[in-house]
């Protein structure tokens, strides 16, 4: 087999070769290079639809890679400092679930912060593992969850010596990092694996002056959203592993839920993005930092907004901070974050990542330009001038510590009844309630519904947050355990 280097693109080059061979296709997909759907070809472009092909011998097979996909995954592992890398085309959701389901079986315990993405709790619903939650710290002014303290981590490990693993957000949606190096040391000392949700941390692997990556910290597995800041296509991701886990078993677990019809557009984008990061990542992420720091400084010159950054670092609840995250607190100008989000989109043509009750998040990447940064700053200044009002009555926190009554799987599959949301105080939740993004559950299956949670949910709905998770599409009724 040919020897590949980081300059090579095994998957994309194989795709190009088959495209130039002008094969006659009696296989799927049925659009046959766009000829069977001219509007699709017109919308996406001829090259794109011709590269949308099915697995064939020269292109390898993601379920059991033995040639070009295998080589591309080797290059990715090398680039990210892992022993193995798995290409994921079901989003980082599948990577997170693959991690948890690889190390836990039904009844096994896994330690995790409660402000995890829904994908982690979904994994518990599927395979029956039991969560042991560590409640994150809370910044009361910003109303956001922070990281896990080493004191809480150590106490939880000692109280649950039979836990199989601990999951760490590296970083959170807001850029907050826990002390992953010391967590790894402590977990390994007690025979536990460390899993990292790095959906928002691809740049940690290639940039400078950024928090440490999970693989560099010694974690056993990591789920990395290449598409978020790494430059691949949406839905493409990586699952990285060290030799402390059985990579062949991990592949089997991934194949339980990942599609058998992997998109070569997504696979080749991972290949291309990896090469670009190796060649240009350092420069790309230095520019990202520069733009984010400039925007943060300019926004903080305006009274009312607070673009928070490394000043939050206390080496405890916020052990480190991702300075590329432009998170902005809006409540002091009398507007919820989701209200600023809507105004930016509707009145200024600016789409940011999300707005919650008190904050907005603008994702800055290598694809941004200085002109667009200036446009965002100017729009925020004008929004403040036009819309500023008294902040009295605004909800002042994002995170409410849950009360766990039963396991997620038991509650999700229990006999349930549907009740009006406001009539459910004191009952056990049988499904999810969350704002998306960020996709951190307000309620998860097995948690007690409280008045505080109901008040928060109603407030989020009133302010226009995009609510998901319940069977009832209007989020007026919720399934509770009978």
């Amino acid at each position: 087999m040919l020897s590949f280097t980081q300059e090579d693109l095994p998957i994309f080059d194989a795709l190009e070769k088959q495209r130039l061979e002008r094969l006659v296709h009696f296989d799927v997909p049925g659009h046959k290079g766009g000829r069977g759907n001219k509007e699709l070809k017109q919308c996406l472009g001829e090259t794109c639809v011709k590269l949308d092909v099915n697995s064939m011998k020269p292109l390898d097979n993601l379920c059991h890679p033995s040639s070009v996909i295998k080589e591309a995954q080797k290059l990715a592992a090398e680039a990210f400092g892992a022993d193995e890398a798995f290409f994921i085309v079901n989003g980082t959701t599948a990577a997170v679930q693959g991690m948890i389901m690889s190390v836990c079986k039904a009844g096994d315990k896994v330690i995790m912060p409660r402000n995890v993405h829904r994908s982690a709790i979904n994994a518990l619903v599927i395979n029956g593992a039991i969560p042991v939650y560590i409640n994150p710290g809370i910044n009361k002014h910003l109303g956001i969850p922070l990281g896990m303290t080493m004191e809480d981590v150590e106490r939880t490990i000692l109280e649950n010596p039979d836990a199989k693993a601990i999951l760490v957000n590296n970083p959170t949606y807001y850029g907050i990092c826990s002390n992953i190096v010391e967590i790894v040391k402590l977990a390994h000392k007690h025979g536990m694996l460390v899993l990292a949700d790095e959906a928002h941390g691809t740049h940690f692997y290639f940039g400078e002056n950024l928090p440490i990556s999970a693989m560099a910290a010694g974690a056993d597995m990591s789920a990395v959203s290449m598409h978020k800041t790494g430059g691949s296509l949406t839905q493409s991701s990586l699952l990285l592993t060290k030799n402390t886990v059985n990579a062949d078993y991990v592949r089997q677990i991934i194949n339980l839920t990942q599609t058998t019809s992997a998109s070569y557009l997504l696979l080749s984008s991972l290949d291309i993005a990896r090469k670009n990061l190796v060649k240009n990542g350092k420069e790309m992420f230095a520019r990202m930092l520069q733009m984010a720091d400039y925007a943060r400084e300019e926004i903080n010159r305006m009274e009312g907004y607070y673009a928070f950054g490394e000043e939050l670092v206390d080496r405890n609840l916020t052990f480190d901070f991702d300075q590329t995250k432009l998170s902005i607190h809006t409540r002091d100008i009398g507007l919820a974050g989701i209200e600023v989000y809507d105004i930016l989109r509707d009145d200024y043509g600016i789409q940011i990542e999300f707005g919650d009750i008190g904050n907005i998040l603008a994702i800055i990447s290598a694809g941004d330009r200085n002109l667009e940064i200036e446009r965002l700053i100017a729009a925020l200044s004008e929004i403040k001038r036009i819309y500023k009002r008294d902040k009295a009555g605004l909800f002042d926190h994002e995170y409410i510590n849950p009360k766990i009554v039963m396991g997620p799987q038991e509650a999700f599959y229990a006999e349930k009844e549907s009740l009006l949301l406001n009539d459910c105080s004191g009952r056990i939740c049988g499904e999810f309630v969350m704002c998306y993004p960020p996709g951190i559950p307000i309620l998860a299956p097995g948690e007690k519904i409280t008045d505080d949670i109901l008040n928060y949910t109603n407030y989020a709905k009133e302010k226009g947050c995009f609510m998901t998770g319940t069977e009832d599409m209007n989020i007026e009724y919720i399934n509770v355990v009978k």
Side-chain angles (χ1 to χ4, degrees):
M1 185 173 286
L2 293 174
S3 177
F4 291 95
T5 73
Q6 292 294 337
E7 290 291 320
D8 293 314
L9 297 170
I11 297 174
F12 180 74
D13 288 344
L15 271 175
E16 272 293 277
K17 186 170 185 270
Q18 71 82 30
R19 183 177 72 86
L20 295 173
E21 285 176 352
R22 302 182 68 182
L23 293 172
V24 175
H25 283 280
F26 289 104
D27 58 354
V28 296
H31 62 71
K32 302 293 174 82
R35 293 196 306 272
N37 188 338
K38 292 182 179 179
E39 189 173 5
L40 180 70
K41 179 178 176 180
Q42 183 179 10
C43 287
L44 299 183
E46 184 173 359
T47 301
C48 178
V49 292
K50 283 193 172 181
L51 294 181
D52 181 37
V53 296
N54 192 32
S55 296
M56 57 185 82
K57 276 193 175 181
L59 297 181
D60 208 355
N61 189 296
L62 184 60
C63 293
H64 196 98
S66 59
S67 60
V68 293
I69 295 177
K70 180 180 179 180
E71 294 303 318
Q73 290 184 153
K74 282 183 180 178
L75 292 175
E78 179 183 75
F80 282 80
D83 291 317
E84 299 283 347
F86 298 91
F87 283 6
I88 304 294
V89 295
N90 284 23
T92 310
T93 287
V96 169
Q97 292 173 350
M99 288 195 304
I100 293 173
M101 293 166 65
S102 293
V103 303
C104 295
K105 299 180 178 66
D108 287 344
K109 293 179 184 176
V110 56
I111 298 168
M112 60 177 66
R114 175 53 180 76
N115 58 324
V116 290
H117 188 263
R118 67 174 294 177
S119 57
I121 304 178
N122 283 349
L124 308 180
V125 170
I126 293 169
N127 85 332
I130 305 298
V132 178
Y133 291 127
I134 297 177
N135 285 318
I138 299 173
N139 183 299
K140 293 184 178 179
H141 173 60
L142 301 175
I144 65 169
L146 301 173
M148 300 182 290
T149 68
M150 286 306 303
E151 181 183 1
D152 285 344
V153 170
E154 183 171 22
R155 184 181 66 253
T156 305
I157 286 175
L158 292 175
E159 289 174 353
N160 299 274
D162 54 340
K164 300 296 183 182
I166 179 169
L167 186 144
V168 183
N169 293 320
N170 194 51
T172 70
Y173 226 128
Y174 298 98
I176 308 294
C177 296
S178 298
N179 189 350
I180 189 170
V181 171
E182 292 302 317
I183 291 173
V184 167
K185 291 178 182 177
L186 185 62
H188 286 176
K189 178 182 175 182
H190 290 272
M192 299 178 191
L193 298 173
V194 176
L195 321 176
D197 181 348
E198 289 190 304
H200 298 275
T202 305
H203 45 296
F204 290 1
Y205 287 87
F206 301 94
E208 295 182 320
N209 302 314
L210 291 169
I212 192 169
S213 69
M215 290 292 103
D220 302 281
M221 304 179 78
S222 175
V224 179
S225 280
M226 279 284 275
H227 68 92
K228 286 187 171 70
T229 56
S232 65
L233 290 177
T234 296
Q235 202 174 307
S236 58
S237 181
L238 295 177
L239 175 52
L240 307 174
T241 69
K242 288 291 184 68
N243 284 338
T244 48
V245 297
N246 181 342
D248 291 325
Y249 179 68
V250 172
R251 175 173 44 81
Q252 285 188 315
I253 294 296
I254 292 170
N255 285 341
L256 290 176
T257 54
Q258 180 154 254
T259 178
T260 56
S261 301
S263 165
Y264 278 87
L265 295 175
L266 299 182
L267 293 175
S268 60
S269 81
L270 285 168
D271 206 13
I272 295 166
R274 180 267 313 156
K275 178 182 176 181
N276 186 44
L277 289 173
V278 171
K279 290 182 65 176
N280 305 308
K282 182 177 176 180
E283 177 185 339
M284 288 164 51
F285 298 134
R287 187 166 175 271
M288 275 173 60
L289 268 173
Q290 184 181 34
M291 287 191 290
D293 285 342
Y294 169 75
R296 190 176 291 109
E297 183 178 339
E298 291 299 307
I299 291 166
N300 284 336
R301 291 181 191 274
M302 309 175 202
E303 289 186 10
Y305 292 116
Y306 174 33
F308 46 95
E310 61 185 358
E311 70 280 356
L312 296 183
V313 173
D314 60 5
R315 310 305 277 182
N316 188 29
L317 283 169
T318 304
F319 183 80
D320 208 346
F321 185 81
D322 176 11
Q323 286 283 103
T324 70
K325 296 287 188 297
L326 185 58
S327 300
I328 306 163
H329 188 60
T330 65
R331 198 174 65 241
D332 289 339
I333 66 166
L335 294 176
I338 188 62
E339 292 175 310
V340 176
Y341 171 101
D342 288 338
I343 296 168
L344 282 169
R345 171 63 188 264
D346 297 341
D347 296 353
Y348 295 91
I350 296 174
Q351 179 64 60
I352 57 173
E353 177 67 10
F354 80 85
D356 55 31
I357 300 305
N359 307 278
I360 59 173
L361 172 64
I363 296 290
I364 294 176
S365 76
D368 287 309
R369 299 170 295 181
N370 291 332
L371 178 64
E372 289 154 345
I373 299 293
E374 295 290 356
R375 187 172 163 186
L376 173 62
I377 294 167
L380 288 172
S381 177
E382 194 166 291
I383 288 170
K384 176 196 162 189
R385 179 178 61 81
I386 296 172
Y387 295 98
K388 183 178 180 181
R389 58 179 183 250
D390 193 305
K391 68 177 182 179
L394 290 182
F395 216 85
D396 64 354
H397 57 280
E398 294 290 335
Y399 177 80
I400 300 170
N401 289 338
K403 297 179 180 179
I404 314 300
V405 180
M406 63 174 62
Q409 185 184 65
E410 181 186 2
F412 187 84
Y413 290 109
E415 189 175 355
K416 293 173 285 195
E417 59 181 333
S418 180
L419 298 178
L420 279 169
L421 186 63
N422 290 330
D423 293 339
C424 292
S425 184
R427 300 296 295 269
I428 302 170
C429 186
E431 54 187 355
F432 291 93
V433 180
M434 72 199 81
C435 301
Y436 191 87
I440 298 167
I442 301 167
L443 275 170
E447 295 177 359
K448 186 175 182 180
I449 302 170
T450 65
D451 289 338
D452 278 349
I453 289 171
L454 292 177
N455 291 337
Y456 178 91
T457 303
N458 287 326
Y459 183 83
K461 287 172 61 180
E462 177 189 327
K463 289 297 182 182
C465 290
F466 181 62
M467 308 292 291
T468 70
T470 56
E471 187 177 314
D472 172 29
M473 295 295 288
N474 295 319
I475 324 288
E476 292 175 355
Y477 289 81
I478 187 169
N479 288 329
V480 297
V481 177
K482 279 190 175 181

